[in-house]
Amino acid sequence: MDILVKNLHLLFIIYALFLGYDKYEISEQKLNQILGEVQTLEVKKSKLNKELENIKSFEKDMQASQKRVVEVKEKIKTIQKQLPAEIKDIEVNGILTDYS
């Protein structure tokens, strides 16, 4: 018993070191978990950035096609103004068959 009492301070030091090491392992596990989450989030971020670029290019293409649709509408209107008000399909077919 005297040996335990004489070396009690060493037992306290060993126990404190054990608790410190245990806390260190727990914090190391949390750090590794957070680093793993960061890596997965970076991968997701890069995928989302690519998707955003695709959406932006699609939007630009959409705007360009809308401009072309407006131009085609305007051309159709000008062509319709040049055509007569009434078109008789039977007469047009007859004229075309005469030419051929």
Side-chain angles (χ1 to χ4, degrees), residues 24-39:
Y24 170 76
E25 280 185 344
I26 292 171
S27 65
E28 192 72 25
Q29 288 175 353
K30 286 182 182 178
L31 178 66
N32 288 335
Q33 180 183 3
I34 291 172
L35 289 176
E37 290 175 2
V38 167
Q39 289 174 350

Side-chain angles (χ1 to χ4, degrees), residues 61-86:
D61 293 342
M62 191 70 139
Q63 290 173 353
S65 63
Q66 285 176 347
K67 288 179 183 177
R68 281 182 272 165
V69 167
V70 169
E71 291 173 1
V72 168
K73 281 183 179 180
E74 291 173 0
K75 288 181 181 180
I76 289 174
K77 285 181 183 179
T78 56
I79 291 172
Q80 283 179 341
K81 288 179 184 178
Q82 293 173 356
L83 293 175
E86 293 181 15

